[in-house]
Amino acid sequence: MLEELKLKEKNSHFHLYIQNHLKIGQNSNHELHLKYLSKFERWKIHFNYSHGELDTQRKLNIDKINYIFNVNINAHDDIFKFIYAIDCFYLCLLTLCAAKKIDIKYTENRYKEYLSTAFFKEKNICNYYIPSNTFLGIDDLYLCDNIISLAEQIKCVNLDCNNIDLIREVFHEIYPREVRHSLGEFYTPDWMAQHITNSNSISHQSGLILDPTCGSGTFLITALRKLNCEDATKKNIRKILGFDLNPTSAFAAKTNLILNSKTVQILDEALPIFSANILDLDIENSTFLTYEDALNRITEICNNKNSAYSTEDITELEYISSIMPSLSKERAQVAIGNPPWVNWEYLPSEYKEKYKSTWQEYGLFDYKGLNSIFIKEDISSLITYATIDHYLAKGGKISFVVKESLFKSIKQAAGFRKFHIRKSNESFRIEELEDLTSFNPFNGVSNNTVIFHAIKGMKTEYPIDYKIWKLQPKSKIQDTDDLKRTLEKVKLTIKFAIPSNPEDNTSGWASVDESIYLNMDKLTGTSAYKARTGVFTGGANGIYWLNILEKPSPKSSTVENITEKARIKFKKLKSEIEDDSLYPYASGSDIKMWSHTYKKYIVCPHTVTTKMQPLPIQYLKENLPLTATYFSKFKEELKARKGFTSFDKKIHEEHYYTLQRIGDYTFSKYKVAWKYISSEFTCAVIQDAEDEFLGRKNIIPNEKIIYIGLDDKEEAFFLCGLLSSTYFRELINSFKVSTQIAPSTITNLNLPKFDSTNENHKIISSLCERGHQDLENIERYISDIDTYVIPAIHQGSLSSVK
C-alpha cells in the first residue's frame, strides 16, 4: 500500500506539508497563528496525558529530523509542533483512505468534501469526523496544495487489508522511529491480537468486547473479523467498544473499522470508538440513561438533514464521547488490549493530582510519598484495575499485554499483585501468564512483555500456569505474521508461577519447573546474608577509573584516567598517586561463572574504618599528598556531580571527592559476587589479587556487580556453592525482572548462615572451591553440590549478618 504514497521521498507532499505546518506554528505574524496556537495547546494537553511528560529532546536526533524534512527545529516547543504537524497530516491521510474505501468514484477533486466529513455523513457513516477543536482543518487553505497531491496519489493505493492492520503500517511509515520511541506508541502485531482473541473464544455469545485503550483498534478489528466470519451482520458493530484518551488514536481506530468492514455493515450505526479517559466516571446530569440511548443519539445526529456536521453537532458528539465511560459500566464480557506503559514519575503533575486518590483507593501504592521521584508504578496497573472494577461484568474475562515487572518486580507492583479490588471487595483470578520476554514482540523496541488472562469474581490461587514463548533459532517474527506462522517460530514451555515469598502473596513471582516447585518450602524463606551494590562514582567514571602505566617509586604509581568510554568527558591526565589509594577495580563483564578478573583500577579515598565517609582532605594532604593533588585537579567537576540522595548528599558537600556505596563490606577479603545485568545468574568468589603493580590488594567491585562481603574463605565458597546450585540458580533466574539481578534478589531465599560443624555445608564449600580451580568441569561440581543443597538448608540455622 505505502509504496504508492512515496512518503519518504525528499520534498514529497508529506515533507512539504510538515514544512508549511511548522511555518504557521513558528511565525507569529501569520494570520492563522492564533487559531493554530489555540488548537495546538488543546492537542498538547491530550499529548501529555497520553504519553507523559517525556523529555523528547533527549531521545530525538534533531539534526537528523531537520535534514530529512528540511525544517528548522530549535526550541523545545518546536519538537511538539513537529509531532503535531505529523498528527494533522496523519488524520488527513486516514480520512482520504476511508473515502477511497467507500467511494467507488473517488476523485481528488472532492478532497474538501471528504475532509469536511460531509461525504461520510451523507453515506450514513456515523461518528466519523476530525476533531476540529484540536486539529487544523481543510479551511486552512495554505495546506491545500499538499493535500491535493496526497488525494491524487491515494487513487492508486490498494486498501485491501488481508488481515493486516494497515493503520499500524501507515503509522510506522510516517512517524520517524525515534518519534515512536519517544511517544511510546508501538501498535500491537497482528499475531498477538489474533492469539488474545482466540484465547477468549470470542463469538456471538461473548457479549460486549471492550478495549479501554484501543490505539489503532487492532484488537477490536481482529474481534470484529472473527464475528463477521460467523455471521457478517450490522449488529456486530455494537458488540465492540473502544476508548482512547488520544483523539488521534481514536480517529485511527474509527478509520480502521471503515477499512476492515463491508460498508453495508456500518451504515446507520455509530462507530463505537470514543476519545475519552476511562478513569473519568463521575459524569453528572447526563441526558442519556443508557449506553444504547447514546449510540442511538449519535445515529440521529448523523441522519439529520445538514450536509456536514454543524458546530452544535460536533459539540454534542464530543459530549457523548466524554460520558461514554460512565454509560458503559459493567457491560463488557471480554476486555482485551495493550494499555499504555507509562511510569508514575513521567505523568503530568495535573494528571497525578487528579487521579492520585484513584491509585490509593485501589491500594496500588504500598509506599508513602506519591510525589516521590523513585515511584516506578506503571499506569497500566491502574487501567487494569479500573477496567475490571467498572467495565467488566462479573464472570467476565480480561486479557492484557503488560510489563513483566507487574508480576515479577520485587520493589514495585505489590499492590497490583493483591488481585483484589478493595473499593468494591471484588477479586479476580489470574488464569494464565504468558511470558514473551525472550524476544521483542513489538518490532523496533526492546521491552519485557507478558500477557495475562484473568476472570472477574474469582480468587487467584497458586500455582498458576506460566507459559514461556521461546523463539526458535534464526527465527524472526514480523508484525504482519499471522498467528499460525508465529506459532511455527516459537517453542512453548509450561512452568508454575508462585510468589517468591510463600508467606507473602504480593511478592514478585517465581516461574519454576516441577522439581523446584516441589521444594519451594525449603528453598524460600529468609536469607542470613545481605547483598550490596558495588562502588558508584556518581557520574565521574572518567576521573576515578585508571590505568597504571609504570612504577616511579615502590609506594606510588603513574596512572592515566580512562576517559574513552565515560558517559561524561573529562580531561585526560597522567598523574602520580600513592599505592595506598589505588585498588584493582572489577566490572560486571569481569565476572564469569566461578571466575573473575579485572582490567582497570580505581582511586579510592575510603578505608575499611572510614566506610562511607572518605578520609578528610587534611589527612590526604598530610599522608597521601599525591592523591589530594589528583582530586584537586578535578575539584569543580567532582563538586558538580548529581545523584546524591539525602542519605549521602551531606557527605558530598563536605568531601567533594567522596565515592558512593562504600562500607566495610567493600574491603572484605572475599566477595560472593554476581553480575547485576545478565540474562542468566552468574556468580563467583572474588579474592584478593596479586597485582603486578600493587602487590596483594583487595579488589573493589563497581556498581554493575552485586556482592556479599565475607572474611571467611570457607563461608564464601559455601554461599557461592549454594547460589550456584541448580535449585537456587534456576529459582533466581525465574524471578529476576528482565536482565536485572538486584541485591534484593536473594532476600526471600532460604540461605542459612554457614555452620562449620555442618558436614553438608563443608562439602558444598569444598566442591565450590575446587570447581573455581577446575573451570572445565563446573557442571560436574554443580551436579555434586545439588545432592547436598536440600539437606544443607533444611538443617541450617538462620542468623542475620551485616
Side-chain angles (χ1 to χ4, degrees), residues 19 32 173 184 239 269 315 337 375 417 443 480 631 642 699 753 780 789-790:
Q19 293 166 23
L32 290 174
E173 183 77 4
K239 288 185 175 291
E269 287 291 340
T315 300
I375 289 179
R417 290 189 293 269
N443 192 18
T480 53
F631 285 133
K642 307 293 183 183
I699 297 177
K753 185 78 172 71
R780 190 191 76 196
V789 168
I790 299 301

Side-chain angles (χ1 to χ4, degrees), residues 167-214:
I167 301 301
R168 180 194 61 233
E169 300 304 299
V170 170
F171 181 84
H172 286 179
E173 183 77 4
I174 72 171
Y175 289 83
R177 185 174 181 273
E178 288 174 310
V179 171
R180 286 186 274 124
H181 270 281
S182 185
L183 299 181
E185 287 202 8
F186 291 89
Y187 287 146
T188 307
D190 297 318
W191 61 266
M192 184 182 288
Q194 292 166 20
H195 171 63
I196 289 176
T197 301
N198 291 348
S199 298
N200 285 279
S201 304
I202 285 175
S203 68
H204 284 280
Q205 284 72 46
S206 298
L208 187 68
I209 302 157
L210 167 73
D211 185 344
T213 56
C214 64

Side-chain angles (χ1 to χ4, degrees), residues 101 161 164 221 225 228 255-262:
K101 181 72 175 180
C161 296
I164 293 174
I221 297 301
R225 285 179 187 145
N228 286 339
T255 306
N256 225 347
L257 278 177
I258 294 172
L259 296 183
N260 282 273
S261 300
K262 292 181 180 179

Side-chain angles (χ1 to χ4, degrees), residues 639-656:
K639 288 176 65 176
R641 285 179 291 166
K642 307 293 183 183
F644 287 83
T645 65
S646 56
F647 185 66
D648 51 17
K649 189 173 183 180
K650 190 173 187 298
I651 298 175
H652 181 229
E653 290 172 350
E654 294 177 355
H655 309 283
Y656 69 88

